[in-house]
């Protein structure tokens, strides 16, 4: 049975970079830049999520877009549970910020999806992988409240954010089109902000 190339890339974009070596790097000037609006107390601005018309996308770019859409879509039902179940006002505020940012990320990622000409079906939807919130985890969270719920959502949210940063770190070594880099950097800033507010920092590869 042939291997679905994009499904294989879901395991790790780092491996995909080697597999996609036949894709030439983009010209200088498409390197990562830090998006504006990030501070110790304020989530990053949404202004950088606007995506202009696209040049060519590599297989790695396409895989990252699809994986990121799947991860964000499956995170949202968990975040939606928080207001009625958390015991922590700080966690309620943070998850609402992340929820707002996730909706904006999805809008930008879907623009990239359309610009890349990707099919409507997402091969990564429901795929077990690090940081992917699964339906049974949402069911478990929905059956808890208070401190038990807070522990669950903190664990799932941290895993999601760390995996996002790991994937973005691999993507940004790929010489992606500038609009992909812009969205990735905005997502990176949001994830770093959220991890810092949770009292933890990303210690994965740059």
């Amino acid at each position: 049975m042939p291997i679905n190339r994009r499904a294989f890339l879901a395991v790790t974009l780092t491996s995909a970079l080697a597999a996609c070596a036949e894709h030439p790097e983009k010209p200088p000037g498409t390197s990562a830049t830090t998006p504006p609006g990030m501070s110790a107390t304020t989530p990053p601005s949404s202004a950088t999520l606007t995506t202009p018309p696209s040049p060519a996308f590599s297989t790695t770019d396409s895989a990252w877009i699809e994986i990121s859409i799947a991860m964000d879509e499956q995170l949202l039902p968990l975040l939606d549970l928080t207001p009625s179940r958390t015991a922590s006002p700080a966690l309620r505020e943070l998850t609402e910020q992340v929820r707002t940012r996730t909706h904006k990320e999805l809008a930008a990622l879907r623009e990239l999806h359309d610009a890349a000409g990707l099919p409507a079906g997402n091969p990564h939807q429901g795929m077990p992988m690090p940081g992917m919130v699964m339906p049974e985890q949402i069911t478990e969270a929905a059956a808890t409240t208070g401190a038990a719920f807070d522990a669950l959502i903190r664990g799932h949210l941290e895993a999601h954010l760390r995996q996002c940063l790991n994937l973005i770190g691999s993507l940004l070594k790929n010489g992606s089109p500038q609009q992909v880099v812009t969205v990735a950097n905005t997502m990176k800033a949001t994830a770093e902000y959220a991890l810092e507010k949770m009292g933890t920092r990303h210690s994965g590869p740059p």
Side-chain angles (χ1 to χ4, degrees):
M1 180 177 179
I3 297 174
N4 183 309
R5 185 173 178 80
R6 290 203 304 275
F8 169 74
L9 293 177
V11 179
T12 167
L13 286 179
T14 304
S15 298
L17 297 178
C20 299
E22 69 273 14
H23 294 278
E25 293 186 356
K26 304 298 182 295
T30 59
S31 58
T33 56
T34 302
M38 180 64 185
S39 73
T41 58
T42 305
S45 168
S46 62
T48 56
L49 288 174
T50 301
T51 55
S54 165
F57 291 79
S58 72
T59 305
T60 302
D61 297 325
S62 298
W64 176 77
I65 292 165
E66 289 180 323
I67 294 167
S68 297
I69 288 173
M71 289 184 66
D72 275 3
E73 287 180 342
Q74 291 182 219
L75 176 68
L76 283 172
L78 186 67
L79 298 178
D80 289 342
L81 294 173
T82 306
S84 62
R85 287 170 171 79
T86 183
S88 167
L91 185 58
R92 181 184 294 109
E93 179 182 3
L94 175 62
T95 54
E96 182 56 31
Q97 289 177 339
V98 173
R99 182 177 176 276
T100 298
R101 295 300 308 160
T102 299
H103 279 293
K104 292 181 179 181
E105 288 176 8
L106 277 170
L109 287 164
R110 286 165 182 157
E111 286 185 29
L112 293 178
H113 178 280
D114 292 345
L118 295 172
N122 191 333
H124 309 293
Q125 199 70 40
M127 178 182 293
M129 61 177 288
M132 186 79 78
V133 178
M134 304 305 293
E136 59 269 23
Q137 294 171 329
I138 296 171
T139 299
E140 180 186 15
T144 64
T145 57
F149 173 84
D150 291 352
L152 283 175
I153 194 168
R154 284 179 65 89
H156 293 319
L157 181 56
E158 181 176 348
H160 170 91
L161 295 169
R162 289 187 181 281
Q163 179 68 353
C164 286
L165 289 173
N166 287 338
L167 295 175
I168 290 168
S170 295
L171 175 79
L172 294 180
K173 299 173 184 176
N174 188 45
S176 298
Q178 183 59 51
Q179 73 268 38
V180 174
V181 172
T182 298
V183 174
N185 270 321
T186 301
M187 292 173 63
K188 178 176 181 286
T190 298
E192 289 174 341
Y193 165 84
L195 285 171
E196 184 173 354
K197 294 294 285 185
M198 291 171 69
T200 182
R201 292 178 181 273
H202 180 59
S203 57

